Amino acid sequence: MIEVRMHQKIVQQILLVLCLFLSYNGVQGRKKLSELEDIELEKRLKLLNKPAVKTVKTKSGESYDCMKPTFAEIKQNSYGSTTNRLPTIWSKDGGCPSGTVPIKRITKDDLIRQRNMPPPEPANFDDEFVVSNNNIEQKGSYYPFYGYKRAIAIPQYDPNFTKFSGAGMATNLFNPHVEGQQHSACRIKIQNGSDILQVGWRVDPTLYGDNNTRLYLHYQTGEKHCFNTLCPGFVHVRTDIPLDMSFEDNLSHRGVITTEVDLYIYRDTGTGNWWLLLGPEYTQVGFWPHNILNELKGFATNVDWGGVIYNPPGLPEPPMGSSFFPFGNNRLDAYCRNIAVSNEDGDSVGVYSIVALTENKFAYGIQFKELTEGSNTFTYVFYGGPGISNP
Ligand SMILES: *[C@@H]1O[C@H](CO)[C@@H](O)[C@H](O)[C@H]1NC(C)=O
Ligand SMILES: *[C@@H]1O[C@H](CO)[C@@H](O)[C@H](O)[C@H]1NC(C)=O
Ligand SMILES: *[C@@H]1O[C@H](CO)[C@@H](O)[C@H](O)[C@H]1NC(C)=O
Ligand SMILES: *[C@@H]1O[C@H](CO)[C@@H](O)[C@H](O)[C@H]1NC(C)=O
């Protein structure tokens, strides 16, 4: 454990040094790498890319390295059961061997591209809104939103339910068109103060180097933040689920809704660790240990579901979700379905009363609806929009 902490500390220090002189060059963008930068990048690559036990391929031909998880004491068998029926994404030779997890090899190009990642959504985003009678009013001069625009649902305030130990949804998957530094995502977000955990899907060429729709996780604590396992933090325990998994074979199109993905972030009452659960049987994929968090050592105070896009200042706003405004139709729209939160005791309860919020109603919409299918009623947060090509 001590060894792991030291390792984390060293990585953090190197990242700090790297950030310092990368931000020095940030304004000039893709400037040629200086020799010093090059050495630092190589060093960081060595730290991130530990030796692989095996290299495996997905059905669509992507390569992943099988590596031992960061925390040596994690034993595969102690989390979830391997009998969970998850659709396999691996080609015939199978996924990673037991005790290792699939991790995309990080290249120098990845690191260089990721230097252009925008800062995360500000933690005080929601303070900019006043909630009254189910309506959201914008406070003061809020524009320009730091480049982020959202179409999200938050639970209606309930004085008897102010501590959340989790949040979940089922969501369908689209591939909104983004260019350059734009990105477009759908997510669950849980927060207390400046601690934020997110899971969802996104199209983000700056992060991934392609335009695929991919799974993502993000954590933010104070000034520190990162995606997937690009920095130490999230402990990945499932051998069959890469955290940046591409959903290319499972995208929905208007009129053709295919696979949904179930996502849940859940606080383990015993340990205080926040687990990521995925798939129809809520398989435990990994967790954010409580000791890397500050305010989320306890419960979450805010939860939201829906779409978020980013456009660099002055540039067009990309499409969100299905790329059309929602009609309230589950064969057409992008949605977050069966939205739920967990209470202090860890019980999951459906959310039937929400407040909808969108920053730019000319570009993105959001609707909440209950639809009856057979004898069941499901809640839907429909979201999305075309964006704006000439801001
Ligand atoms: C994607 O869709 C295919 C075909 O419908 C299905 O067999 C597979 O299980 C799905 N994959 C995921 C990751 O849901
Ligand atoms: C909160 O709980 C109290 C006591 O159980 C109850 O009287 C009150 O109606 C509840 N308030 C809401 C908004 O549900
Ligand atoms: C993403 O799509 C845009 C528009 O088709 C294209 O210009 C860009 O090169 C693509 N990016 C990547 C990394 O494939
Ligand atoms: C949120 O964090 C603050 C600061 O750590 C803590 O005092 C508070 O109890 C937390 N809220 C909940 C609901 O746990």
Side-chain angles (χ1 to χ4, degrees), residues 335-348:
Y335 59 72
C336 304
R337 184 166 89 99
N338 288 356
I339 56 169
V341 288
S342 301
N343 62 19
E344 265 180 275
D345 301 325
D347 304 323
S348 184

Side-chain angles (χ1 to χ4, degrees), residues 177-179 205 209-211:
H177 179 98
V178 306
E179 292 185 20
D210 62 27
N211 289 337

Side-chain angles (χ1 to χ4, degrees), residues 166-167 188-192 195-197 265 274 296 300 302-303:
I188 302 171
K189 176 171 136 181
I190 68 153
Q191 175 173 11
N192 181 0
D195 276 11
I196 299 174
L197 304 178
I265 298 177
W274 290 88
L296 279 177
N302 300 58
V303 171

Side-chain angles (χ1 to χ4, degrees), residues 20 27 105 115 155 163 169 251 258 268 284 380 382 386:
L20 285 178
V27 189
R105 183 152 287 263
R115 293 198 301 172
K163 296 181 177 180
M169 66 173 176
L251 297 179
T258 58
D268 181 82
Q284 295 176 309
Y380 282 88
F382 295 111

Side-chain angles (χ1 to χ4, degrees), residues 295-361:
E295 283 134 306
L296 279 177
K297 274 191 177 23
F299 294 100
T301 50
N302 300 58
V303 171
D304 72 58
W305 301 263
V308 58
I309 64 90
Y310 173 81
N311 63 294
L315 292 179
E317 295 170 17
M320 179 195 284
S322 70
S323 308
F324 291 85
F325 285 109
F327 284 84
N329 181 327
N330 63 0
R331 307 304 306 166
L332 297 177
D333 297 338
Y335 59 72
C336 304
R337 184 166 89 99
N338 288 356
I339 56 169
V341 288
S342 301
N343 62 19
E344 265 180 275
D345 301 325
D347 304 323
S348 184
V349 291
V351 175
Y352 294 93
S353 177
I354 62 110
V355 178
L357 183 161
T358 175
E359 258 104 19
N360 184 352
K361 62 179 187 220

Side-chain angles (χ1 to χ4, degrees), residues 11 27 41 62-63 137 163 182 209 218 237 252 300 303 318 339 347 356 370:
V11 175
V27 189
L41 286 182
E62 287 192 274
S63 296
E137 290 159 31
K163 296 181 177 180
Q182 295 172 330
H218 185 257
V237 303
S252 293
V303 171
I339 56 169
D347 304 323
E370 287 180 31

Side-chain angles (χ1 to χ4, degrees), residues 113 177-180 203-206 208-212:
R113 216 182 41 250
H177 179 98
V178 306
E179 292 185 20
V203 182
D204 189 342
T206 316
Y208 292 123
D210 62 27
N211 289 337
N212 291 356

